């Protein structure tokens, strides 16, 4: 972005805040649409990834890991080469073979499923991966973290019997709603994305009828809008739409039902009758791409993230150098408890300047002469402006730990 354009960005634009908070950056030598993450940004990203993995494990998902390259033939089988080629990077020749950077994880997961025979007793089989994929986005649409060429997708695929598909899609929507509540994200609307005209969609009317009916069943009781022309090439999807401060919508989370790829890959399971049956593939992403999710979180919270997600959760401020040892000791105790804490030492400026610089941290602990005389006391300041007063350092760390584990919006619950 040109320097003269930067001051025109809205206050909560994630590109402005990303620079101000030192979360991520770009460099022409890395290339457009290929941001890098700075230490605080990597903390934010890693915490988000671990949260999603924990939520998925609790919902019965098993995690896998697959390569970012695949033979061109793989994407010819999946249908991506026919229907999605314009969004893929060109093939690379390796000896007699052509390989491509994957634009999607689902063909890899189909191969994981068919790596051995499956029984109906294993279904639904839920596999998840937070994996990299690559999209050949035009340079004119790239911007910040919202449109990038290297995407890290929170992806999962549920292989199930047809009669289980609607319930699995509904369960995925429940997982999405819980995650949004923990992240402080509000869905603008639910969209049932249907095919439009043209050749970008798989030509199988019965496939579309069956998958659309199952998604409508999963959406029963939720307000939604059906929109043509927004489906994936292989099937309809539920898009959970979010909006930025200017009202611009984008898709964060998705649930899709796919009869196409199980057929193309010849996926089977042995039913209770001993015969082979075709599973349904439910695609599901709780937070979508990590890049877009972080961009939205930066803007939604103005950089003041929920306590459990904040890159720095506690800033300890010794008033003078005489209290510095106490401050560093408290930070060591906080880190030992799994908290992210740092000292804002007196050499960084006046106490007022340091308090302002740490204004987005959920918790501040000031240690002055009076607190030092009291033994283990600190003067607590909260990000929302409240000042609960003096408490022991141990009591403060216990309170912060409890609030981080609870993942709620409240910074200082009643004892």
């Amino acid at each position: 972005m040109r320097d003269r354009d930067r001051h025109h960005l809205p206050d909560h634009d994630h590109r402005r805040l990303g620079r101000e908070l030192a979360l991520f950056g770009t460099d022409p030598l890395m290339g457009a649409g290929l941001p890098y993450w700075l230490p605080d940004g990597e903390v934010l990203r890693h915490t988000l990834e671990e949260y999603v993995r924990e939520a998925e494990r609790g919902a019965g998902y098993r995690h896998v890991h697959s390569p970012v390259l695949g033979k061109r033939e793989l994407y010819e089988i999946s249908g991506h080469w026919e229907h999605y080629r314009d969004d893929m990077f060109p093939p690379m020749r390796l000896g007699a073979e052509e390989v491509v950077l994957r634009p999607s994880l689902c063909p890899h997961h189909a191969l994981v499923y068919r790596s051995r025979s499956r029984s109906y007793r294993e279904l639904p089989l839920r596999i998840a991966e937070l994996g990299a994929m690559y999209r050949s986005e035009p340079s004119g649409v790239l911007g910040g973290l919202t449109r990038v060429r290297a995407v890290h997708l929170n992806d999962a695929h549920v292989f199930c019997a047809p009669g289980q598909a609607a319930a699995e899609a509904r369960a995925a929507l429940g997982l999405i709603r819980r995650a949004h509540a923990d992240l402080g994200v509000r869905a603008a609307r639910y969209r049932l994305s249907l095919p439009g005209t043209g050749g970008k969609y798989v030509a199988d009317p019965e496939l579309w009828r069956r998958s659309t009916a199952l998604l409508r069943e999963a959406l029963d009781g939720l307000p939604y809008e059906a929109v043509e022309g927004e489906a994936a090439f292989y099937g309809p999807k539920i898009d959970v739409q979010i909006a930025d401060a200017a009202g611009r919508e984008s898709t964060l989370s998705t649930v899709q039902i796919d009869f196409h790829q199980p057929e193309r890959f010849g996926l089977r399971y042995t039913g209770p009758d001993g015969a082979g049956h075709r599973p349904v593939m439910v695609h599901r992403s709780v937070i979508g791409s990590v890049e877009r999710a972080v961009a939205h979180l930066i803007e939604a919270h103005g950089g003041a993230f929920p306590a459990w997600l904040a890159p720095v959760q506690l800033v300890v401020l010794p008033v003078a150098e005489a209290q510095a040892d106490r401050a560093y000791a408290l930070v060591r105790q906080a880190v030992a408890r799994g908290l992210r804490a740092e000292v804002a030492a007196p050499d960084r400026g006046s106490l007022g300047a340091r308090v302002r610089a740490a204004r987005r941290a959920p918790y501040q602990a000031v240690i002055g002469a009076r607190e030092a005389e009291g033994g283990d006391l600190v003067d607590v300041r909260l990000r929302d402006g409240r000042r609960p007063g003096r408490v022991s350092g141990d009591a403060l760390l216990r309170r912060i730990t409890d609030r981080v584990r609870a993942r709620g919006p409240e910074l200082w619950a009643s004892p």
Side-chain angles (χ1 to χ4, degrees):
M1 181 181 299
R2 297 169 299 181
D3 287 342
R4 64 175 179 270
D5 292 334
R6 290 178 177 173
H7 66 279
H8 296 302
L9 295 177
D11 287 345
H12 279 204
D13 188 288
H14 79 277
R15 294 166 292 176
R16 177 192 292 276
L17 284 171
R19 285 191 302 273
E20 181 182 330
L21 301 175
L23 299 177
F24 65 92
T26 57
D27 192 291
L29 286 177
M30 290 189 189
L34 300 170
Y36 58 82
W37 297 85
L38 295 164
D40 278 355
E42 176 56 23
V43 169
L44 178 61
R45 174 197 175 111
H46 181 77
T47 304
L48 183 59
E49 292 174 357
E50 284 301 302
Y51 165 77
V52 172
R53 288 191 180 96
E54 180 185 331
E56 288 171 337
R57 286 192 294 268
Y61 288 82
R62 303 290 300 279
H63 290 92
V64 299
H65 186 79
S66 57
V68 299
L69 293 171
K71 291 172 64 175
R72 170 177 160 173
E73 181 185 357
L74 173 63
Y75 302 101
E76 290 174 341
I77 294 171
S78 70
H80 285 82
W81 190 253
E82 178 183 357
H83 298 281
Y84 202 74
R85 190 185 322 172
D86 290 345
D87 294 300
M88 297 171 62
F89 283 99
M92 297 173 281
R93 183 161 292 280
L94 295 178
E97 296 178 345
E98 284 188 330
V99 297
V100 297
L101 287 165
R102 65 179 175 193
S104 175
L105 279 68
C106 41
H108 292 253
H109 288 188
L111 298 184
V112 170
Y113 177 87
R114 79 175 198 184
S115 63
R116 64 173 178 81
S117 60
R118 304 286 180 177
S119 164
Y120 74 96
R121 292 185 178 88
E122 298 179 69
L123 306 184
L125 177 66
R126 307 179 185 99
I127 62 174
E129 180 175 1
L130 208 156
M133 61 187 195
Y134 299 85
R135 304 274 172 90
S136 182
E137 297 277 13
S139 58
V141 303
L142 299 173
L145 297 176
T146 54
R147 292 292 291 270
V148 294
R149 287 172 171 158
V151 180
H152 294 81
L153 186 68
N154 156 235
D155 206 7
H157 298 92
V158 181
F159 299 89
C160 61
Q164 299 170 322
E168 286 299 313
R170 191 160 44 244
L173 287 173
L175 192 59
I176 288 167
R177 286 195 297 273
R178 289 194 296 276
H180 286 192
D182 287 341
L183 293 167
V185 171
R186 186 177 64 84
R189 64 181 175 126
Y190 292 89
R191 185 178 75 189
L192 177 59
S193 296
L194 303 173
T197 58
K200 64 179 279 191
Y201 302 102
V202 170
D204 188 334
E206 179 60 16
L207 173 156
W208 291 98
R209 186 197 66 76
R210 292 175 67 196
S211 50
T212 300
L214 288 170
L215 286 183
R216 288 188 186 276
E217 184 179 341
L219 283 164
D220 186 42
L222 289 173
Y224 68 92
E225 300 175 41
V227 178
E228 294 185 354
E230 297 293 339
F233 73 83
Y234 49 78
K237 57 194 175 93
I238 299 169
D239 289 323
V240 184
Q241 299 295 99
I242 56 173
D244 64 15
R248 294 181 296 255
E249 278 194 12
S250 59
T251 301
L252 185 64
S253 312
T254 60
V255 180
Q256 307 167 35
I257 288 184
D258 179 6
F259 288 95
H260 172 72
Q261 290 188 74
E263 181 177 349
R264 294 293 293 262
F265 283 100
L267 304 186
R268 310 290 285 177
Y269 66 91
T270 302
D273 56 0
H277 298 268
R278 183 86 66 210
V280 180
M281 197 171 175
V282 179
H283 305 238
R284 181 246 67 193
S285 182
V286 172
I287 60 166
S289 79
V290 173
E291 290 78 13
R292 180 170 290 181
V294 170
H296 184 70
L297 289 170
I298 292 170
E299 296 189 356
H301 297 293
F305 303 105
W308 67 273
L309 196 56
V312 177
Q313 295 162 325
L314 169 65
V315 177
V316 183
L317 303 102
V319 174
E321 196 61 38
Q323 294 90 44
D325 287 347
R326 279 276 321 281
Y328 283 105
L330 182 59
V331 163
R332 287 193 294 272
Q333 294 171 38
V335 171
R337 290 173 180 252
L339 299 175
R340 298 184 289 274
E342 65 180 33
V343 173
D347 60 5
R348 295 193 193 179
S350 68
L351 179 62
R354 286 180 282 147
V355 165
R356 288 190 296 274
R359 66 189 180 280
R360 290 191 177 93
Y363 303 95
Q364 296 181 9
V366 177
I367 302 177
R370 287 201 295 173
E371 287 77 30
E373 290 171 3
D376 186 33
L377 294 179
V378 296
D379 184 23
V380 181
R381 304 183 183 206
L382 306 182
R383 181 174 59 201
D384 58 17
R386 286 180 292 163
R387 297 181 63 170
R390 293 183 179 86
V391 300
S392 71
D394 183 67
L396 173 62
L397 298 185
R398 279 190 283 106
R399 278 180 175 265
I400 296 174
T401 302
D402 288 345
R403 298 318 306 155
V404 167
R405 288 174 178 166
R407 294 199 182 101
E410 182 58 55
L411 294 177
W412 197 260
S414 300

